[in-house]
Structure formats: structure tokens, C-alpha cells
Amino acid sequence: MLNKWFFKHIDNSALIVFRIIFGALCFLETVGAIFTGWIRRTLVEPNFTFNFIGFEWLQPLPGDGMYYYYAIMGVFGLLIMVGYKYRLSMICFTLMWTATYLMQKSSYNNHYYLLILISSLMVFLPANTYASVDAKLNPKLQSYSMPQWCRIVIILQLFIVYTYASIAKLYPDWLDATAMEILMFGKRNYMLVGELLQQKGVQYFLAYGGILFDGLIVPLLLFKPTRKYAFAASIIFHLFNSFVFQIGIFPYLSLAFTLFFFPSEVIQKIFLKKKPHYDASEIIVPNYKPIFLTIFFIYFIIQIGLPLRHHFIASDVLWTEEGHRLSWRMMLRTKRARTTYWIENKANGKRIKVNLRDHLTRKQVRTASAKPDVIWQFSQYLKSHYKSSGMDIGVYVDCQVSVNGKAYQTLVNPDIDIANQPWEVFKHSPWLLPVK
């Protein structure tokens, strides 16, 4: 049964077309980061970046280095698109993209994480066996089929992402459209739709539409009678997100995923008219079967488990954000913060207020004012900064936070020296106060 499920060969048209679109989007994402100023704001201007904890050794290249870095990534995107040295290009792009993701959190986005996962999966998929330079240079590589597991891993990954995104929205501020109202308020000046987005009825439609879309889109795309309607809904949903939230390539990448849900004959006739259609349905069990099955189950157990970890941490994830990252908790809430950092000279007990703009960019100030892991990291930075001047300090933080427009409450215990607290990965940090 497993052999038929994973190793039956099916037509590979969807994967071939997806590779071409995926490579083009990777190119556009990296080049766009250069010309929109994202690299300058995020990786060049800051004195330091907030790495993912444990990856402090990953630092932006000095000078104009990050511009060249992204240009090289763009080249790899083009090579993926045309299928030249595909495997090497895919590995290099994945490693470079992952490195930039881990070296900064000020522009954290769940979609960046999704691109890491899809890129990693693409390394192992035979996406260059047709309509590629590799196949032209090496005709023996050419193939019209792929093992069915190539389609399964993409669909299962999407199902996990969308399902957790839907479940995460099932909380009061989303269900009463408060969170959506705040999100849409920032779009009030948008041409044509800005005023419409302020209507309460529209906000309820968007809030519940988001829950239903995320929760049902994969099953509806898999079910033939609803597939066309689900695809139409996907176009509307993702184009709306592209226009309103301006999140780069990701709405278009999401639309590209729908290739794996349509019959291969349809994909082949639309995009690859010269390609013969494969329908032999051979079951070819490879030598790597035990390794594949082991990696498959371990990978997806991790993907299922990571978003659940906040349930085992004694805190409210919406408040403390412990277990928030890597969990598909997308655009769920807004935070405002009034935060003051104090350094205390341990030699004489004198306290000095920290001017955040002396150390951080405007965007980093917002992040270091409301996000607990960044607050902890900035405290470590201050301790190291003053230690280099021969001063042993403690760092105390007065942090008042408002979630979804509610009353400000104290997030960080102001009596605890944050710089001398360990970072807890899988349990609650005691210097974070509970929400009342």
C-alpha cells in the first residue's frame, strides 16, 4: 500500500511548471529586496541585527556586501527557473535564503519561513527532468514522470500551514472582528477600497472568510466538484492579500501551488503542449525507500509538532509570544508598546535611561519595545556594549503593552535584571508577567 501511495509514478507536468514559476519568483523576491530598499533598511543601516537566538554568528556582510549577496541569490533563482545545475542552484539558494532569515527578525514574516521549507523540499524533487537546460545537456536525465510522493509532500505541507493558520484565528478578538478592524484601519487611505474596508460588515466577512478559506482550501482543491470554485476563491483571496497587505511574491507562490491539485493532463495541455503525457502508472520502489520514509515521517512530525508547542508553555501565546514563531500564526493581532530601558551601574547603583535611537533603527525600536525575545536580546546587547567600556551593568525594562487596542498592561517585570536572565526555549520565562 505504501509503495502504491508514495512510489507510483505520475505525470510530472505540475512540478516542471512549478519549478519555472518558483525560480522566477525567487529571482523577483531577491531583486525586489534590493530595489525597494529592504536590504538597506534591514541589513545595512542597523548597527546590529536581531538574529534568531543561537545564530548570532550569522551577521550581514559589511559595506555593500548584502547587495551582492542578494544579487547572487537572484542569479540562483534564474538558474532554478531555466533548470541549469538545478540541484546545486537549489541548495545554494536555500542556504543563502535561510541565512538571511536567521540573521534578522525585525522583518520577520511567516512567508519567509515557508520559502525556506519549500526550497528545502525542492532540493529533493526531480524538477529539472523536462524543459530544463540540464535535460538538454544530458538527455538521459529527461523524464515525463515523477514519484507520487513529490506531489504528496507539497500538498501535505500546505495542508499543515493552512490548517494551523485557520485554527489560530479561533480566538475572541478575531471572531468579533476586532483584530480585523485594527488591521483594516491602517488601510483606510487606500484608493478605491480604503473606505469600504472600514465597514464592519466587510471586516466580519474578511475575518470569517479567512478562517474558512484557510481551513477548507486544501480539501476543496482536492475534491474535483469544488476544485474550480476553490481555485477562483484562491485567486480572489491571494490577489486581495497582494494588494492590501503588499507581501511580495507570496500570494503568487500560493497560487502556483494550485498546480499540484489539477489533473496533469490539464497542466500539460496548457503549459507544456509539446510534452508527452505520462499515464503508465508504474510503481518503481527505489533503493532509498527506508531512508525516504524515515525522513518523511520525522519531517512532518516536526512540522505538526512545532505549532503545538505553545500549549505546553504556561503562558498566553498572544501575550508573551512564547511559541509564536514557526507556528503559522499569521496577522492575528496588533501590538502597541510604551517601553523604557534602564541600565544600572552595579558599582554605584546609579540608573541611566537608554535612548533607543542611539542603538536601533526606527523599525527596530518598535520590535524591541513589544517582542519579548527581542527585548531579551537587546538587553544582552546593552550588557555587552557597556562591558566593553569597563562597566558592569544590569538592564531593567518598563514595558507596557496593548494587544488589539486593549488597555496597556505590564509585560516585563521591571524589578528583574533582564540581561542576567537565561533565555527559555520550551518553557515560560519568569520575567514575563501574565496578562490580566
Side-chain angles (χ1 to χ4, degrees), residues 177 180 199-212 236:
M180 185 60 68
Q199 304 302 312
K200 198 65 178 179
V202 173
Q203 292 162 2
Y204 268 104
F205 174 79
L206 294 175
Y208 283 85
I211 294 172
L212 292 173
I236 296 170

Side-chain angles (χ1 to χ4, degrees), residues 22 26 90 93-94 114-123:
F22 181 79
C26 290
M90 198 68 254
F93 179 86
T94 302
L114 177 60
L115 187 53
I116 290 176
L117 298 179
I118 298 301
S119 297
S120 300
L121 293 175
M122 287 290 286
V123 168

Side-chain angles (χ1 to χ4, degrees), residues 15 20 30 48 78 154 188 240 285 314 343 406 431 435:
L15 180 60
I20 296 170
T30 52
F48 77 104
L78 289 176
I154 296 293
R188 62 192 181 281
F240 175 85
V285 181
I343 60 168
K406 293 183 172 59
W431 49 272
V435 63

Side-chain angles (χ1 to χ4, degrees), residues 24-301:
L25 291 176
C26 290
F27 169 75
L28 293 173
E29 177 69 16
T30 52
V31 171
I34 297 173
F35 291 105
T36 61
W38 185 91
I39 293 175
R40 173 179 52 79
R41 294 189 303 271
T42 307
L43 298 169
V44 177
E45 289 182 348
N47 293 327
F48 77 104
T49 59
F50 292 105
N51 300 68
F52 274 71
I53 295 171
F55 291 90
E56 290 76 14
W57 52 275
L58 276 174
Q59 293 295 320
L61 298 173
D64 293 332
M66 292 310 297
Y67 294 107
Y68 298 119
Y69 184 99
Y70 266 73
I72 292 171
M73 271 205 295
V75 171
F76 284 128
L78 289 176
L79 295 178
I80 293 166
M81 182 180 73
V82 301
Y84 180 66
K85 300 290 184 183
Y86 168 76
R87 199 80 61 185
L88 177 62
S89 299
M90 198 68 254
I91 291 171
C92 290
F93 179 86
T94 302
L95 292 175
M96 293 181 75
W97 180 265
T98 303
T100 58
Y101 175 81
L102 294 173
M103 72 174 59
Q104 66 82 30
K105 285 187 293 193
S106 297
S107 294
Y108 173 83
N109 192 316
N110 279 282
H111 296 121
Y112 297 158
Y113 172 48
L114 177 60
L115 187 53
I116 290 176
L117 298 179
I118 298 301
S119 297
S120 300
L121 293 175
M122 287 290 286
V123 168
F124 301 98
L125 301 184
N128 63 331
T129 56
Y130 189 80
S132 70
V133 176
D134 288 344
K136 287 187 179 298
L137 295 177
N138 180 13
K140 292 181 180 179
L141 182 67
Q142 183 166 285
S143 174
Y144 307 131
S145 70
M146 64 182 180
Q148 186 160 244
W149 66 259
C150 298
R151 176 174 178 262
I152 292 172
V153 293
I154 296 293
I155 292 176
L156 186 53
Q157 181 68 74
L158 292 178
F159 180 72
I160 291 170
V161 172
Y162 279 118
T163 300
Y164 277 122
S166 178
I167 293 172
K169 292 179 175 67
L170 299 175
Y171 81 102
D173 286 354
W174 191 274
L175 296 175
D176 67 11
T178 296
M180 185 60 68
E181 180 181 359
I182 296 172
L183 285 172
M184 292 302 106
F185 183 75
K187 319 299 178 184
R188 62 192 181 281
N189 295 322
Y190 274 28
M191 184 173 58
L192 301 179
V193 299
E195 185 175 342
L196 179 65
L197 295 175
Q198 308 313 304
Q199 304 302 312
K200 198 65 178 179
V202 173
Q203 292 162 2
Y204 268 104
F205 174 79
L206 294 175
Y208 283 85
I211 294 172
L212 292 173
F213 180 88
D214 289 344
L216 297 175
I217 189 60
V218 171
L220 291 178
L221 283 170
L222 286 170
F223 188 46
K224 184 177 179 180
T226 57
R227 185 174 295 136
K228 291 181 180 179
Y229 304 105
F231 179 61
S234 293
I235 294 174
I236 296 170
F237 179 84
H238 291 302
L239 290 183
F240 175 85
N241 283 343
S242 178
F243 175 70
V244 173
F245 297 109
Q246 299 175 11
I247 47 178
I249 67 168
F250 297 101
Y252 308 99
L253 179 61
S254 298
L255 285 174
F257 287 132
T258 60
L259 289 163
F260 293 99
F261 294 90
F262 283 90
S264 56
E265 301 97 315
V266 174
I267 304 302
Q268 180 259 322
K269 288 179 181 178
I270 294 174
F271 296 103
L272 301 170
K273 294 181 180 180
K274 294 182 179 181
K275 175 183 175 294
H277 181 260
Y278 174 89
D279 57 7
S281 299
E282 297 172 282
I283 297 176
I284 304 174
V285 181
N287 294 330
Y288 61 75
K289 174 184 174 181
I291 298 174
F292 166 78
L293 292 177
T294 300
I295 294 174
F296 177 91
F297 287 111
I298 291 175
Y299 174 82
F300 282 107
I301 286 171

